[in-house]
Amino acid sequence: MGPHPAVAAIRLAVRRVLHDVLTEHTRSAEHTRRTPHPEFAEAGAGRQRAALPERPGTPLVLVACSGGADSMALASALAFEARKLDVRAGGITVDHGLQDGSDDRAAEVVDRLTDMRLDPVEAVAVQVGHEGGPEAAARDARYAALDAAAERHGAAAVLLGHTRDDQAETVLLGLARGSGIRSLSGMAAASGPAGRYRRPFLQLDRQTARKACLVQSLPVWDDPHNIDPAYTRSRLRHEGLPALEKALGKGVVEALARTAQLSRDDADALDTWAAEADRTVRDDAGRLECAKLYALPPAVRRRVLRRAAMEAGSPAGSLFARHIEEVDRLITGWRGQRAINLPGRVEAMRQGGRLVIRQS
């Protein structure tokens, strides 16, 4: 008899991601093998050129594990599937230090991951700042720690346990902020530097992960922050989404997750269009021409403006839709306005039919 359906589902999701990682690793190793070292770049065309040594044949995949049901289910699936494939599997748990005894819980997670025969396994303590609010600050600290761990261990990928329910919450949070289509696209299945972060469970619901832990007798830790109404996501999870399902019927989570994928496809297409358009709206000196910007569809034009602001030094995380709307008015509603101040000490101004975006 095969595994429980919930266990089979999480293993299949992880298996697919591991196959992707292996395929990418093999291609990268092959490319490295064929690429000549710069030291030999000037060798004659008829001479044998030396190549860089191949990367180690077995890629390392880490799981980010908090000890909660989603990440414990993910860790168990990774441990099971990695043994059947040419993949090394390890685990990282991040101690945010926000609760009493958090170091003890991190040590427990390390023990559980070690019992699964994951290697390497480590706990990383971080200092959580205050910028952007407690949730954003904790997220920034966590990803910084995971990035550092991935670099330190040479990991090909880091698996995250975000589920379809998390995706639905992310879409609603973006909608509530009045964000654009990129925010409504939620979390990508692969993100970060070179697609480092992988989210195998985006098509699975939270209950499937919890059920997989139950039938495998995996102990899980329920973070009290997840039910604390002081946190926006917690209120949305326990009050907002249930209210929507009561009003609209079941299937809201699935519909929101589907909206995320459709929005991502549209946003990707518009980003590609904007990248191509950026080259056509500049003069010979590389300056943005207002008349050519005006001729672009608004969704494309605003993407060009956002790219230009970021290239000038405006941080992406602090650059909001209202900022870009103000810059856009320099194109569509020009009445002699003064320069627009943007995050990162960047300013945008209109001069002689050109849009100038630069550090102030």
Side-chain angles (χ1 to χ4, degrees), residues 326 328-338 340 350:
E326 287 298 315
D328 195 41
R329 289 192 185 97
L330 296 176
I331 308 299
T332 62
W334 174 241
R335 300 183 306 278
Q337 300 99 308
R338 293 183 177 180
I340 305 298
R350 181 162 174 159

Side-chain angles (χ1 to χ4, degrees), residues 314-331:
S314 198
S318 303
L319 193 60
F320 302 135
R322 57 184 173 83
H323 295 125
I324 303 304
E325 288 170 2
E326 287 298 315
V327 177
D328 195 41
R329 289 192 185 97
L330 296 176
I331 308 299

Side-chain angles (χ1 to χ4, degrees), residues 82-348:
R83 287 194 289 270
K84 302 192 300 180
L85 299 169
D86 191 21
V87 174
R88 292 184 296 133
I92 302 292
T93 186
V94 178
D95 175 13
H96 297 85
L98 298 176
Q99 302 168 20
D100 292 337
S102 63
D103 54 340
D104 292 332
R105 279 189 289 274
E108 290 175 3
V109 173
V110 166
D111 289 341
R112 292 171 188 170
L113 297 180
T114 301
D115 289 343
M116 293 178 184
R117 293 190 288 170
L118 297 181
D119 181 43
V121 171
E122 67 173 322
V124 181
V126 298
Q127 288 288 116
V128 177
H130 303 286
E131 187 174 352
E135 293 169 285
R139 182 177 61 250
D140 290 344
R142 180 167 59 254
Y143 276 101
L146 293 175
D147 277 334
E151 294 292 340
R152 186 165 59 252
H153 294 290
V158 178
L159 305 189
L160 305 177
H162 296 122
T163 64
R164 186 170 62 192
D165 301 79
D166 296 309
Q167 185 75 297
E169 293 162 8
T170 301
V171 172
L172 282 177
L173 288 171
L175 185 63
R177 288 192 296 265
S179 302
I181 193 172
R182 175 56 70 186
S183 182
L184 297 184
S185 65
M187 296 174 286
S191 64
R196 167 178 292 159
Y197 294 108
R198 309 297 175 104
R199 298 176 176 86
F201 289 175
L202 285 183
Q203 301 302 318
L204 301 177
D205 61 29
R206 192 172 287 138
Q207 286 305 312
T208 296
R210 185 168 289 275
K211 184 66 175 179
C213 290
L214 179 64
V215 299
Q216 294 178 100
S217 300
L218 294 175
V220 300
W221 173 65
D222 290 314
D223 187 346
H225 283 173
N226 289 337
I227 58 173
D228 188 343
Y231 295 95
T232 304
R233 188 176 286 268
S234 175
R235 294 195 302 273
L236 179 59
R237 180 174 301 177
H238 298 286
E239 300 173 24
L241 270 172
L244 280 175
E245 291 203 330
K246 183 177 180 180
L248 302 176
K250 295 293 182 181
V252 170
V253 168
E254 292 87 343
L256 288 168
R258 187 163 57 251
T259 295
Q261 184 56 59
L262 293 172
S263 297
R264 180 166 296 280
D265 292 342
D266 290 349
D268 287 346
L270 286 168
D271 285 348
T272 300
W273 187 354
E276 295 170 351
D278 184 87
R279 295 189 291 269
T280 69
V281 294
R282 295 179 182 270
D283 61 18
D284 293 339
R287 296 173 299 179
L288 292 166
E289 297 188 63
C290 295
K292 292 180 179 178
L293 283 168
Y294 185 86
L296 293 175
V300 177
R301 181 175 61 246
R302 288 170 184 162
R303 279 169 166 76
V304 172
L305 298 178
R306 180 178 175 82
R307 284 165 56 94
M310 290 170 57
E311 288 171 359
S314 198
S318 303
L319 193 60
F320 302 135
R322 57 184 173 83
H323 295 125
I324 303 304
E325 288 170 2
E326 287 298 315
V327 177
D328 195 41
R329 289 192 185 97
L330 296 176
I331 308 299
T332 62
W334 174 241
R335 300 183 306 278
Q337 300 99 308
R338 293 183 177 180
I340 305 298
N341 293 318
L342 301 173
R345 301 183 63 183
V346 171
E347 64 179 11

